[in-house]
């Protein structure tokens, strides 16, 4: 692979220039104003994929944003087949005034590429395209390569789910490769083997049929903001445990080996909290920080609003109040089961003085990946040879809902070959992607294909 690695280094500036062109398209999928930009990005990416050498490249229209499918060439039955997943859509950029440089004008500072989507997920996806391009210069690819790339991941839309279900034969492979996760620390290559699942709901408490004067009615009617706050407060106890009956029934407890592995990772808790402006954290008693984030379920209020929130005072009793609540799930919890239990529990907390409406959305189940598969072993070798360090296994507290669909419908191992770093600021202002991880990632992807072909 030394010759191939030298080729990747030689074309570093070319690869960066092409990535910059990709990053300049404001493909914000959740904002209807940018629908044409998302379409433009899909067309740009499909054309670029064709220039790399993919013979069968398709833009598939959906009720939302386009899906891109590509097959490098006719399937050679003597070769392993792997499927690369990624997404070309990005998060909104607000608050814009906190960006040091315009979010869609890529800029390199301190060895990092600053732009929206640089790490999540355009940069990480682009790594694999450049790996395939570099390998082509030395003849045929060692594997059959397929791509499935969506434009809805950041918009919580699920048109890709139906496509995977209906096209499992088209997507058949020996492994699915995804780069949309991050390392444990800047200098510690990491392979993620577990993702938490997610459930989401919106709870609205309705009181009087209009906002009321707090002097004329205060003390005589229930205030929806207070009632909602009381309901939320009862969802957890003083020990950090979620109080929904049956919530923990199916949770798989960590064994001592995994707990020991977690504790061996170099987490500086003081720095972990100081980086986010806190002196100390909080959570479920009896578990470490990593255990709470990676292997224990959680429940959080993502937003709460109701009543007057403008300048000055307006003494009212609001007519309604709303909270957005998310739940993170761990193996073997089931999203539908947990959502139903939580909804029923909340309904039982509502006093007769108000009404309630709960909207809930299809969730995603947690994922636990077999660390002993041949694909994972190829990933270990790829990271070790590309970054000159033995990678560690980690879990991740976030969710990638589409992974569940790949596992359910394709029945093949998934490899989460993440290249992001903890301070990439994904979903935040000043998102960035380390150039060393971009170039090193191209090498790792190329090495993975070679190694996987022999496994």
């Amino acid at each position: 692979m030394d010759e191939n690695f030298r080729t990747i280094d030689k074309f570093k500036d070319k690869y960066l220039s092409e990535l910059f062109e990709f990053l300049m398209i404001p493909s914000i999928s959740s904002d209807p104003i940018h629908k044409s930009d998302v379409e433009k990005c899909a067309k740009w990416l499909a054309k670029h994929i064709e220039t790399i050498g993919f013979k069968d490249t398709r833009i598939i229209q959906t009720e939302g944003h386009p899906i891109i499918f590509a097959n490098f060439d006719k399937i050679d039955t003597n070769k392993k087949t792997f499927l690369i997943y990624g997404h070309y859509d990005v998060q909104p950029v607000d608050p814009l005034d906190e960006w040091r440089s315009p979010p869609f004008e890529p800029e390199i500072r301190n060895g990092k590429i600053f732009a929206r989507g640089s790490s999540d997920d355009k940069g990480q996806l682009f790594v694999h395209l450049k790996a395939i391009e570099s390998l082509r210069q030395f003849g045929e690819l060692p594997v059959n390569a397929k791509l499935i790339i969506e434009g809805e991941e950041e918009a919580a839309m699920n048109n890709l789910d139906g496509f995977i279900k209906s096209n499992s034969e088209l997507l058949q492979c020996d492994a699915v490769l995804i780069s949309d996760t991050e390392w444990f620390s800047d200098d510690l290559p990491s392979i993620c083997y577990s993702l938490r699942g997610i459930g989401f709901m919106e709870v609205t408490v309705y009181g009087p049929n209009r906002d009321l004067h707090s002097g004329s009615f205060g003390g005589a009617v229930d205030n929806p903001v207070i009632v909602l706050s009381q309901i939320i407060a009862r969802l957890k106890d003083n020990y950090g445990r979620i109080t929904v009956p049956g919530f923990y029934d199916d949770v798989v407890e960590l064994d001592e080996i995994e707990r020991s592995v977690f504790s061996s990772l170099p987490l500086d808790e003081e720095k972990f909290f100081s980086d986010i402006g806190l002196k100390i954290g909080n959570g479920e008693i009896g578990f470490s920080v990593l255990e709470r984030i990676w292997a224990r379920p959680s429940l959080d209020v993502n937003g709460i609003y109701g009543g007057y929130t403008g300048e000055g005072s307006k003494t009212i009793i609001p007519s309604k109040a709303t909270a957005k609540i998310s739940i993170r799930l761990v193996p073997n919890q089931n999203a539908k089961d947990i959502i139903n239990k939580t909804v029923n529990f909340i309904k039982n907390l509502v006093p007769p003085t108000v009404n309630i409406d709960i909207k809930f959305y299809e969730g995603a189940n947690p994922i636990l990946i077999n660390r002993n598969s041949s694909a994972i072993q190829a990933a270990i070798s790829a990271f070790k040879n590309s970054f000159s360090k033995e990678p560690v296994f980690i879990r991740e507290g976030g969710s990638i809902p589409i992974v569940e669909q790949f596992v359910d419908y394709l029945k093949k191992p998934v490899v989460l070959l993440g290249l992001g770093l903890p301070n990439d600021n994904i979903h935040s202002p000043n998102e960035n992607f380390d150039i060393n991880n971009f170039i090193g990632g191209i090498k790792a992807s190329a090495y993975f294909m070679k190694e996987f072909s022999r496994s």
Side-chain angles (χ1 to χ4, degrees):
M1 289 296 292
D2 287 347
E3 188 178 359
N4 184 232
F5 282 6
R6 284 193 294 271
T7 298
I8 292 169
D9 288 329
K10 177 182 177 182
F11 287 101
K12 172 182 174 181
D13 290 342
K14 173 183 178 292
Y15 295 160
L16 283 169
S17 177
E18 292 167 341
L19 175 60
F20 278 26
E21 194 175 340
F22 189 22
L23 293 170
M24 289 172 70
I25 306 172
S27 50
I28 303 172
S29 56
S30 61
D31 188 344
I33 293 175
H34 288 281
K35 183 173 176 59
S36 63
D37 291 315
V38 178
E39 185 84 25
K40 177 183 177 182
C41 193
K43 290 178 180 177
W44 183 94
L45 184 56
K47 184 177 180 180
H48 188 78
I49 288 167
E50 287 177 339
T51 66
I52 292 171
F54 279 81
K55 302 290 192 299
D56 178 14
T57 302
R58 315 174 197 176
I59 295 179
I60 299 150
Q61 298 297 332
T62 72
E63 292 181 2
H65 300 303
I67 295 167
I68 298 171
F69 170 78
N71 196 347
F72 191 81
D73 211 337
K74 290 181 180 179
I75 298 296
D76 183 342
T77 55
N78 294 316
K79 294 179 180 178
K80 293 284 185 70
T81 299
F82 81 112
L83 175 69
I84 298 170
Y85 162 82
H87 63 90
Y88 64 86
D89 63 319
V90 300
Q91 280 273 321
V93 298
D94 310 83
L96 187 58
D97 60 357
E98 292 186 15
W99 286 80
R100 285 186 57 196
S101 55
F104 296 107
E105 295 179 20
E107 182 176 295
I108 293 176
R109 299 195 303 271
N110 302 319
K112 297 176 182 292
I113 307 159
F114 284 83
R116 174 57 89 224
S118 55
S119 178
D120 183 22
D121 178 48
K122 288 181 177 180
Q124 295 202 55
L125 166 63
F126 215 62
V127 156
H128 303 300
L129 302 184
K130 298 299 100 178
I132 290 170
E133 182 178 335
S134 70
L135 284 171
R136 276 196 68 221
Q137 299 186 45
F138 298 93
E140 291 186 359
L141 290 183
V143 292
N144 299 307
K146 297 179 181 181
L147 307 175
I148 184 73
I149 307 169
E150 67 166 318
E152 298 181 339
E153 201 271 349
E154 302 291 13
M157 301 165 77
N158 58 2
N159 286 296
L160 184 60
D161 295 8
F163 181 81
I164 294 172
K165 185 176 182 180
S166 303
N167 294 275
S168 57
E169 190 63 35
L170 178 70
L171 301 174
Q172 268 308 308
C173 58
D174 294 291
V176 181
L177 181 62
I178 299 174
S179 291
D180 198 11
T181 52
E182 62 185 32
W183 291 4
F184 182 80
S185 61
D186 289 7
D187 59 350
L188 195 57
S190 310
I191 297 173
C192 180
Y193 68 94
S194 183
L195 297 164
R196 289 198 291 187
I198 190 169
F200 181 82
M201 63 189 67
E202 190 173 279
V203 180
T204 301
V205 173
Y206 294 93
N209 60 10
R210 61 188 186 278
D211 291 350
L212 302 177
H213 189 294
S214 65
S216 302
F217 291 89
V221 297
D222 249 337
N223 184 313
V225 174
I226 294 175
V227 172
L228 180 58
S229 300
Q230 291 169 337
I231 291 171
I232 291 170
R234 294 178 66 182
L235 295 178
K236 282 187 176 181
D237 64 20
N238 292 333
Y239 301 98
R241 284 181 63 88
I242 296 159
T243 55
V244 175
F247 191 92
Y248 293 93
D249 285 356
D250 299 316
V251 171
V252 175
E253 302 290 340
L254 284 171
D255 59 33
E256 288 307 311
I257 294 175
E258 258 192 309
R259 294 193 84 168
S260 176
V261 170
F262 282 19
S263 64
S264 71
L265 292 170
L267 177 67
D268 182 336
E269 291 195 13
E270 185 176 342
K271 185 177 185 303
F272 177 85
F273 291 117
S274 67
D275 280 349
I276 55 175
L278 299 174
K279 292 181 179 179
I280 193 171
N282 196 14
E284 188 178 0
I285 289 176
F287 298 91
S288 70
V289 171
L290 289 181
E291 289 169 356
R292 291 170 183 168
I293 295 172
W294 290 352
R296 300 299 295 174
S298 63
L299 183 151
D300 286 287
V301 177
N302 311 123
I304 183 168
Y305 51 94
Y308 180 70
T309 57
E311 292 287 338
S313 66
K314 186 181 182 186
T315 53
I316 60 165
I317 296 171
S319 64
K320 65 178 181 178
T322 300
K324 296 178 183 291
I325 298 173
S326 64
I327 303 168
R328 298 287 175 169
L329 312 169
V330 298
N332 279 340
Q333 288 182 300
N334 177 272
K336 185 179 291 187
D337 173 60
I338 293 299
I339 289 170
N340 287 337
K341 286 176 177 175
T342 306
V343 167
N344 290 334
F345 182 60
I346 290 174
K347 286 180 177 179
N348 288 331
L349 296 176
V350 180
T353 52
V354 296
N355 295 308
I356 194 168
D357 177 62
I358 303 177
K359 296 177 183 176
F360 51 92
Y361 304 86
E362 230 176 279
N365 290 320
I367 295 295
L368 190 62
I369 293 168
N370 176 14
R371 287 173 284 173
N372 297 315
S373 72
S374 60
I376 292 291
Q377 298 309 306
I380 293 172
S381 295
F383 265 161
K384 186 176 180 179
N385 282 277
S386 303
F387 292 98
S388 302
K389 285 193 176 181
E390 189 80 33
V392 296
F393 280 111
I394 64 170
R395 293 191 181 202
E396 191 158 303
S399 310
I400 306 177
I402 203 65
V403 174
E404 182 186 0
Q405 310 304 321
F406 288 129
V407 171
D408 286 351
Y409 296 122
L410 302 186
K411 311 294 184 186
K412 291 296 187 291
V414 174
V415 180
L416 297 173
L417 199 74
L419 296 158
L421 298 178
N423 292 318
D424 281 356
N425 292 341
I426 63 170
H427 295 206
S428 299
N430 303 305
E431 180 179 349
N432 62 88
F433 190 32
D434 194 291
I435 291 177
N436 290 331
N437 277 34
F438 175 61
I439 299 301
I442 297 172
K443 295 175 182 178
S445 178
Y447 196 97
F448 173 84
M449 293 181 221
K450 285 270 193 182
E451 192 72 14
F452 183 56
S453 70
R454 295 192 289 262
S455 65

